[in-house]
Amino acid sequence: MRITAFTQLILVLAVTAWVFLLPIPAVATLLALELVLLLYIKHDRMTMAAIGALTVFTGMMIVLQLLFGSSLYISLTGGLRMFVMTTAFLDLLAATKIQDIAQALVEKFHMPCEYAFMLTTALRFVPDFLADSANTLDAQSCRGYSNRGNVLKRLYAYLAVVKPLVMRAIAKSDTLALSMELKGFGANTYKNMQPQTLKSLDYIVLLLIIVLSSFPFWQKFIMK
Amino acid sequence: MSETVINFTNFYFKYLNSQLVLKNVNLAIPQGAFTVMAGPSGAGKTTLCKAMLGIVPFYYGGSYSGDIEILGENVKGKRVSDLAMRVGLMLDDYESQLVSLTAGEEVAFSLLNHGFKPQEVAERTKKALTDVGLPGRENYQLDELSGGQRQRLLLASVLAVHPEVLVLDEPVSAMDPDGAKSLYALLYKIYKEYNMTVVVVEHDINNLLPYATHMVIVDNGQIAAKGPVMDAAKVTYDNPVLRENLPRLWQIKFNLEQRFGIKLGDWRSEEEAQEELQEKFQGRISK
């Protein structure tokens, strides 16, 4: 039994709120839970690389905060919060098909279908764009492109790669737009999909979210 | 094969800020035909393909005169996506036409957009993937499929809506010779099985020799030859500028017919040609 994309999205939004509402030990526990969940769902090279890159980025952020005069506690908690929020998104992407997320955004959050579709399209074309970029770099290298010299010279030389890449991307987007037109893309795209109905597990999770999100309230008035 | 599915009457077209791309096109594609469209680069073949769905002039804009009828209806005022339900189009850049992340989602995309029920979408998706030789690949990510498989996936997504006409613009331009042969063999199987009308734009007609029933040669925006494949081939052969568009085998055939004043068969393969030539020229050709 799985929770729907809608509940997962609410959970991610709740996590971003919890990192500021809950005490730090609870936030650290949240991080541990997220990491266990992520590695349980997906433990391939990409996931490990994403966790590694996120760790490096968090480390850099902590160092920068220290350099700009923040205390060690503030820097560490800031880094922890950022790590928890980002890992929640990684969990979401690992656990749910992007199509389901887009559908939930249109169905439940009333996001315009064009914006929701951008999510899937962006993910669909990232590998193509990277492949085009590598091919263009190879082709221009054969024609004398070199990335030697100072930064300015290298940036100027790189225009020889960027220009054809942009032209190719525009041509592809034209074909994509035509293809979507032919396939009748529009408001019906998500409307006609199998509806994502909430099940008992979704209600339990949503209830848990409400309880945890109101933590400051019951800490102040009920636990006194 | 008498009814016409696509009909151009005195059709002229030019894109915004361009010269005339199509000039005085009068063309009828008969129902049930497997039509090959050839011609030099820049002759207007792709534009003509796009006109078969009203993409030109109604999606891109530009100026036009004349009429286009698809399955008995004038395309004027029709939505391109509605026409695409009856006439399926595959453009040469197949990568950019795939819009989803998995094979199943890709095939289901058009169906969902046109309001098919989820149950029927699932059935049609399964059938279309099986038809193109990708059974059970619904959950495959696109990057798990090879170039040839992606090409077939696009074909499946077009076939899933059950179009009556299939238009393919240089579908094998990015494929190796074996991949090209296998795609055309698959296309022919589908053409026969579903009794469709097929139009294929192709530079190298050699691959389509066994299948073509009709041929159209486009040159400089005009229809230079059209009709049943051998009649159109003869007209093309008689024009020295366009002769190169014919398959090598037919160039040899017409050369021999002209030189020896004989009538040879409609060769569809080298084996057929070899057999007939051995029979007709046994002992007559000096070594």
Side-chain angles (χ1 to χ4, degrees):
Chain A
M1 199 176 183
R2 296 181 58 174
I3 56 173
T4 61
F6 167 73
T7 313
Q8 290 182 36
L9 276 166
I10 294 287
L11 191 56
V12 169
L13 291 175
V15 167
T16 55
W18 291 347
V19 295
F20 297 104
L21 294 175
L22 298 177
I24 289 301
V27 177
T29 313
L30 211 57
L31 176 62
L33 286 173
E34 282 178 352
L35 286 174
V36 169
L37 186 66
L38 180 59
L39 293 173
Y40 173 73
I41 300 167
K42 222 175 182 183
H43 43 269
D44 56 359
R45 242 181 83 215
M46 280 269 281
T47 312
M48 302 312 278
I51 296 173
L54 187 57
T55 311
V56 171
F57 186 74
T58 309
M60 280 166 55
M61 207 185 96
I62 292 170
V63 170
L64 272 177
Q65 276 190 301
L66 284 171
L67 286 175
F68 282 106
S70 301
S71 69
L72 182 63
Y73 179 78
I74 297 279
S75 307
L76 285 174
T77 51
L80 176 69
R81 284 183 174 128
M82 201 273 300
F83 205 113
V84 173
M85 284 192 279
T86 317
T87 312
F89 277 99
L90 290 180
D91 277 345
L92 174 73
L93 292 176
T96 319
K97 284 198 293 182
I98 204 82
Q99 187 91 332
D100 292 341
I101 297 174
Q103 188 189 355
L105 286 170
V106 174
E107 251 181 25
K108 304 282 198 282
F109 294 92
H110 301 287
M111 180 188 265
C113 61
E114 291 85 356
Y115 295 109
F117 192 73
M118 275 197 319
L119 271 177
T120 49
T121 316
L123 277 183
R124 156 78 188 88
F125 283 96
V126 164
D128 283 11
F129 186 76
L130 293 177
D132 280 351
S133 163
N135 289 340
T136 311
L137 193 61
D138 287 348
Q140 296 299 63
S141 297
C142 293
R143 297 184 179 103
Y145 161 76
S146 162
N147 66 344
R148 289 186 187 152
N150 62 37
V151 177
L152 276 178
K153 270 188 176 170
R154 280 154 70 177
L155 273 176
Y156 185 71
Y158 200 65
L159 281 177
V161 176
V162 172
K163 273 192 226 167
L165 201 56
V166 169
M167 294 312 289
R168 202 167 152 69
I170 291 171
K172 279 192 167 204
S173 66
D174 185 46
T175 310
L176 172 70
L178 176 57
S179 176
M180 284 166 63
E181 181 74 24
L182 287 170
K183 290 173 179 174
F185 174 76
N188 281 340
T189 303
Y190 297 100
K191 220 182 275 175
N192 295 328
M193 286 179 179
Q194 192 84 48
Q196 298 180 3
T197 42
L198 300 185
K199 302 203 173 70
S200 50
L201 189 62
D202 288 283
Y203 289 110
I204 294 168
V205 173
L206 288 171
L207 189 68
L208 196 70
I209 289 170
I210 293 168
V211 171
L212 283 172
S213 301
S214 54
F215 172 78
F217 172 78
W218 46 266
Q219 187 192 36
K220 197 171 175 183
F221 298 105
I222 300 169
M223 287 173 74
K224 255 185 181 177
Chain B
M1 212 186 271
S2 56
E3 223 172 285
T4 298
V5 286
I6 297 175
N7 199 20
F8 288 85
T9 313
N10 302 327
F11 188 71
Y12 291 79
F13 172 73
K14 77 183 205 61
Y15 290 103
L16 295 168
N17 308 318
S18 84
Q19 301 287 321
L20 270 178
V21 181
L22 296 176
K23 301 165 199 163
N24 195 24
V25 174
N26 286 289
L27 177 66
I29 304 288
Q31 188 179 33
F34 193 115
T35 305
V36 184
M37 198 189 290
S41 293
K45 302 185 294 291
T46 297
T47 305
L48 196 54
C49 270
K50 288 178 177 169
M52 289 180 184
L53 277 97
I55 296 168
V56 160
F58 304 112
Y59 177 77
Y60 282 122
S63 315
Y64 78 101
S65 75
D67 286 308
I68 308 169
E69 277 186 5
I70 296 174
L71 297 155
E73 288 181 279
N74 198 306
V75 295
K76 202 172 179 181
K78 298 273 186 312
R79 280 175 47 190
V80 169
S81 61
D82 291 336
L83 292 170
M85 291 296 285
R86 305 189 73 188
V87 182
L89 173 69
M90 268 176 74
L91 298 167
D92 59 340
D93 181 6
Y94 62 90
E95 291 278 359
S96 307
Q97 290 170 81
L98 299 170
V99 297
S100 304
L101 292 170
T102 66
E105 286 168 9
E106 186 61 46
V107 179
F109 190 75
S110 295
L111 299 170
L112 289 169
N113 291 338
H114 286 97
F116 286 86
K117 295 268 180 290
Q119 177 67 28
E120 191 176 356
V121 170
E123 279 165 18
R124 282 195 184 208
T125 301
K126 194 177 171 192
K127 177 82 173 69
L129 284 172
T130 307
D131 282 344
V132 300
L134 297 171
R137 307 265 165 96
E138 282 89 341
N139 292 319
Y140 275 49
Q141 299 283 326
L142 290 199
D143 53 15
E144 291 177 286
L145 301 174
S146 67
Q149 287 175 326
R150 286 183 190 208
Q151 183 81 296
R152 283 163 182 249
L153 173 62
L154 183 62
L155 182 59
S157 73
V158 174
L159 288 174
V161 296
H162 298 172
E164 289 145 79
V165 185
L166 200 54
V167 181
L168 301 98
D169 184 12
E170 300 198 28
V172 297
S173 57
M175 292 175 100
D176 58 81
D178 284 343
K181 272 187 187 159
S182 117
L183 186 85
Y184 282 136
L186 172 74
L187 185 64
Y188 188 69
K189 185 180 144 256
I190 290 165
Y191 158 75
K192 279 285 179 197
E193 196 173 330
Y194 295 106
N195 196 22
M196 296 178 87
T197 305
V198 174
V199 179
V200 184
V201 171
E202 182 57 270
H203 265 295
D204 183 5
I205 306 180
N206 287 296
N207 285 328
L208 290 162
L209 270 184
Y211 316 124
T213 62
H214 287 68
M215 187 157 79
V216 176
I217 300 291
V218 186
D219 182 36
N220 196 24
Q222 290 173 306
I223 304 296
K226 63 184 174 184
V229 72
M230 274 304 161
D231 298 351
K234 184 74 181 82
V235 173
T236 310
Y237 179 80
D238 291 340
N239 183 337
V241 181
L242 297 175
R243 197 174 286 172
E244 280 304 307
N245 290 296
L246 288 179
R248 286 180 298 277
L249 204 59
W250 289 354
Q251 288 186 43
I252 294 170
K253 169 187 141 74
F254 290 123
N255 272 335
L256 289 172
E257 284 183 349
Q258 205 168 52
R259 185 166 170 192
F260 294 105
I262 53 169
K263 179 81 185 124
L264 295 166
D266 298 346
W267 300 337
R268 296 306 178 121
S269 66
E270 286 177 13
E271 289 73 29
E272 266 182 46
Q274 200 178 352
E275 203 177 303
E276 186 175 11
L277 289 177
Q278 271 176 346
E279 194 183 298
K280 284 215 162 111
F281 289 92
Q282 196 87 50
R284 285 176 57 194
I285 302 170
S286 56
K287 282 184 185 171

